[in-house]
Amino acid sequence: MDDLRQDARTLVEMALVALSHAFGNIEDGDVPMLPFVMTDSLREGRAIYRFESDSLDHALDSAQLWLERADAEVSRYAFAWDGYITLDDGQWDALFVEAGDRLLPYGMLLCQRYVPSPLGSGPSRRVGEPMLVERLDSRLCEPLTRH
């Protein structure tokens, strides 16, 4: 059980590092951010793969396809993109990070709201703390089978 708790802590830490990295990418008004996947693997350690395309939808599809075909050595991932979230107080620009692990059946979707800066007027600013949007199945973990 302690190993699973440590895996969960490591996954949360990775998700927060990915959110911080994503915010660093848009902080000076460089929006929208290119989607990226951050991975941990035995062979490469921590790596980042960026997905550039003519459209954001195609870049997101490419990142998701890449994750579906991820090498067996990838132990965890954090998939980040720029989007919008609608809450009770309106629609916000937000950075999203989906994170999952090969050993944990559930991952998470986090978001960080932000206010983009008008070009050249200073940095974008974070609004509040990162939020858990939902618990998701990990893209790397095989579904649990019940007997």
Side-chain angles (χ1 to χ4, degrees):
M1 188 64 152
D2 286 337
D3 287 344
L4 287 178
R5 282 191 193 134
Q6 183 56 45
D7 287 340
R9 273 190 220 106
T10 303
L11 183 61
V12 169
E13 289 168 2
M14 180 185 209
L16 293 174
V17 166
L19 261 179
S20 181
H21 182 78
F23 190 78
N25 287 330
I26 59 118
E27 193 168 23
D28 293 324
D30 189 19
V31 290
M33 179 197 76
L34 287 178
F36 67 85
V37 174
M38 180 181 286
T39 62
D40 282 345
S41 69
L42 293 174
R43 186 173 8 144
E44 295 182 13
R46 182 148 296 166
I48 295 178
Y49 303 91
R50 297 187 187 287
F51 297 87
E52 188 171 1
S53 182
D54 292 340
S55 76
L56 179 59
D57 286 340
H58 188 261
L60 291 172
D61 290 344
S62 295
Q64 291 176 30
L65 184 61
W66 187 92
L67 274 170
E68 288 173 14
R69 299 176 179 168
D71 188 284
E73 287 196 21
V74 172
S75 57
R76 72 188 53 84
Y77 71 91
F79 168 32
W81 69 93
D82 195 354
Y84 300 97
I85 189 166
T86 302
L87 302 171
D88 291 340
D89 58 351
Q91 186 179 51
W92 293 87
D93 288 273
L95 296 170
F96 292 88
V97 170
E98 173 192 326
D101 187 281
R102 191 161 297 281
L103 299 176
L104 300 170
Y106 296 107
M108 68 195 84
L109 178 62
L110 301 177
C111 85
Q112 172 67 63
R113 294 177 295 159
Y114 72 93
V115 174
S117 68
L119 291 176
S121 70
S124 298
R125 102 183 133 75
R126 296 175 203 232
V127 176
E129 296 295 321
M131 300 184 317
L132 176 64
V133 177
E134 68 180 306
R135 183 176 83 168
L136 302 171
D137 291 338
S138 172
R139 294 178 191 255
L140 298 179
C141 187
E142 294 296 321
L144 296 175
T145 55
R146 305 214 185 255
H147 298 281

